[in-house]
Amino acid sequence: MLDKQKISFKKKLALNLHKKYVEIQSELHELKYLFWECTLRCNLNCLHCGSDCHKESQVKDMPLDDFLKITEQISKNQNPNKTMIVLTGGEPLLRKDLEEFGERITRQGFPWGMVTNGYALTEERFKNLINAGLGSITVSLDGFQEAHNWLRNNRNSFQRAINAIKIIVNQPNIEYDIVSCVNQKNFDDLKKFKHFLIDTGVKNWRIFTIFPTGRAKTNTFLKISNQQFSELMEFIKKSRKEKQINVSYSCEGFLGNYENEVRDGYYFCFAGVHIGSVLVDGSISACPNINRSFIQGNIYKDYFWDVWNTKFDVMRNRDWTKKGICKNCEVYKWCRGNGLHLYENAESEVQMCHYNMLK
């Protein structure tokens, strides 16, 4: 039987070149994305949420002026056009000052975008955000009505998300993608759902799978089997060849022979290398999805730009990940221990391995 995970000589050459690229980028660590966790308030209560989000959070929203001091620091040290500011949460649309944020951040020279569940997006709000410089937006849609509403824990969520998507796809001057969490509830409908998205006018579809953290840690319905994961890779690969919709697997996990076939380019965890974040309490970290044990400082006591340039060693040098199942792994030099979101801290071992799932 053909071993689909036996990496070809040609792909090994490409992966070795990419390894050198990753090493160079880790040393340069140019800040390309800065995520702002602008609120922990949320209008949904999703089953897979990795954040501590509630309709009324005990942690107050960070004042806009506090965050803009950080972007002023960045603009003094590098061209602001090189850094995309991305709003996340919680649910960013619950903030009433997004238009003011957009206008001020645009004047500073930064492009900006947001990640949203779409529940509160209206045509008027979207138009105002576009006028305030919104350049990109990501909306979550996790299958058809039953599956989506189950995951989002709200019976109106599907229709609200669809309404938001229909508004967005008719706007020609914005980058967007629809992101879907694949799980046991929607797995069998992926093919039908793909055609539904195409018929709705969606051009860009990003798929991700659950990792064991937050509310998802104990919910078995959220995790797909190894066999299903392999089938998912084949589904994405085939769909990309059809070119009816630009579908890709998210940035998480090294995928062996599926590298550069189910997404553009080769696996690279950008956390702390190209991605930084400011959390709602002022903490300075990398990708918002990683554990808070990786926090590197706080804007209320540290100068952000100094932290970015002098800290983050634990993310730029991943040698500490070579333990447990990674210690003698044949693909470690390309994977570097998988994504940082799969670690509880720098002393822990990786919680899951996408490459092993495919084997």
Side-chain angles (χ1 to χ4, degrees):
M1 186 177 182
L2 179 65
D3 183 0
K4 291 184 178 181
Q5 276 302 83
K6 186 176 181 180
I7 301 175
S8 67
F9 178 74
K10 183 178 180 180
K11 185 149 289 184
K12 286 180 179 180
L13 288 177
L15 287 168
N16 286 333
L17 288 173
H18 182 67
K19 175 178 178 292
K20 294 179 181 179
Y21 170 78
V22 170
E23 291 170 352
I24 293 171
Q25 294 304 309
S26 297
E27 186 174 344
L28 294 174
H29 54 264
E30 181 181 10
L31 182 62
K32 295 184 178 181
Y33 297 91
L34 179 64
F35 284 83
W36 180 26
E37 187 183 60
C38 63
T39 182
L40 283 182
R41 291 179 295 135
C42 190
N43 45 16
L44 296 180
N45 187 29
C46 304
L47 300 182
H48 66 315
C49 184
S51 301
D52 186 21
C53 299
H54 305 277
K55 288 185 177 180
E56 294 298 330
S57 174
Q58 294 180 348
V59 181
K60 293 183 178 180
D61 295 355
M62 178 184 290
L64 176 56
D65 286 339
D66 291 1
F67 180 73
L68 292 178
K69 291 176 183 177
I70 306 308
T71 54
E72 287 176 2
Q73 291 179 25
I74 298 171
S75 63
K76 291 177 181 178
N77 290 280
Q78 74 174 29
N79 187 337
N81 287 326
K82 292 183 177 181
T83 303
M84 167 68 79
I85 309 297
V86 183
L87 302 182
T88 185
E91 173 50 50
L93 287 172
L94 294 184
R95 288 190 66 125
K96 297 180 180 180
D97 59 355
L98 295 190
E99 289 81 0
E100 180 187 353
F101 160 82
E103 291 169 358
R104 294 175 67 180
I105 206 78
T106 300
R107 285 200 299 269
Q108 286 186 1
F110 291 92
W112 69 281
M114 65 186 299
V115 179
T116 175
N117 59 40
Y119 196 90
L121 189 67
T122 63
E123 288 193 40
E124 182 180 2
R125 189 86 197 268
F126 187 58
K127 181 180 179 181
N128 292 338
L129 292 171
I130 291 290
N131 291 337
L134 178 69
S136 69
I137 188 168
T138 294
V139 179
S140 298
L141 186 67
D142 304 295
F144 291 113
Q145 182 166 313
E146 181 181 354
H148 177 88
N149 288 347
W150 167 80
L151 186 64
R152 298 289 160 175
N153 215 8
N154 184 295
R155 64 182 182 180
N156 299 314
S157 179
F158 176 79
Q159 193 56 55
R160 291 288 193 97
I162 288 295
N163 292 344
I165 290 167
K166 288 180 178 179
I167 292 170
I168 292 166
V169 298
N170 289 321
Q171 170 57 248
N173 300 318
I174 192 168
E175 294 183 10
Y176 74 89
D177 64 353
I178 307 307
V179 61
S180 300
C181 169
V182 172
N183 54 75
Q184 294 295 341
K185 290 283 188 178
N186 61 19
F187 185 85
D188 292 337
D189 288 331
L190 283 176
K191 187 175 180 180
K192 291 181 180 178
F193 186 61
K194 177 181 71 175
H195 290 294
F196 170 77
L197 292 177
I198 293 170
D199 292 341
T200 306
V202 172
K203 303 296 183 184
N204 302 298
W205 182 28
R206 181 160 46 96
I207 289 174
F208 73 98
T209 47
I210 285 294
F211 58 97
T213 190
R215 300 173 191 166
K217 199 165 188 176
T218 58
N219 193 328
T220 56
F221 281 100
L222 293 174
K223 185 180 179 182
I224 61 175
S225 68
N226 292 357
Q227 177 63 33
Q228 288 173 319
F229 188 60
S230 294
E231 291 175 11
L232 177 62
M233 294 301 105
E234 287 294 324
F235 168 77
I236 296 174
K237 182 178 176 180
K238 180 181 178 181
S239 298
R240 287 170 68 87
K241 289 181 179 179
E242 293 170 350
K243 296 183 177 180
Q244 292 180 293
I245 185 172
N246 179 25
V247 56
S248 63
Y249 187 63
S250 64
C251 59
E252 56 175 304
F254 177 76
L255 303 173
N257 262 334
Y258 288 107
E259 287 297 319
N260 202 34
E261 295 185 8
V262 296
R263 58 188 170 209
D264 298 334
Y266 294 88
Y267 173 67
F268 187 175
C269 178
F270 288 165
V273 178
H274 291 318
I275 294 177
S277 67
V278 175
L279 305 182
V280 71
D281 63 353
S283 296
I284 301 170
S285 190
C287 174
N289 288 328
I290 68 175
N291 193 284
R292 287 179 178 259
S293 66
F294 291 101
I295 286 171
Q296 301 293 296
N298 192 289
I299 66 168
Y300 293 114
K301 63 178 183 178
D302 302 307
Y303 191 73
F304 175 85
W305 193 251
D306 287 344
V307 173
W308 177 254
N309 282 301
T310 62
K311 299 288 186 71
F312 291 91
D313 289 342
V314 70
M315 305 174 199
R316 295 164 189 168
N317 183 346
R318 306 282 178 90
D319 291 345
W320 59 269
T321 63
K322 197 168 188 180
K323 55 193 171 189
I325 62 173
C326 298
K327 187 173 183 178
N328 298 309
C329 180
E330 59 188 348
V331 300
Y332 178 84
K333 62 181 178 180
W334 302 315
C335 175
R336 297 203 307 160
N338 219 333
L340 284 185
H341 63 290
L342 297 171
Y343 291 85
E344 293 184 356
N345 51 59
E347 285 72 46
S348 64
E349 297 178 10
V350 69
Q351 295 178 342
M352 63 181 290
C353 174
H354 298 76
Y355 180 72
N356 280 344
M357 288 177 69
L358 292 168
K359 289 175 69 177

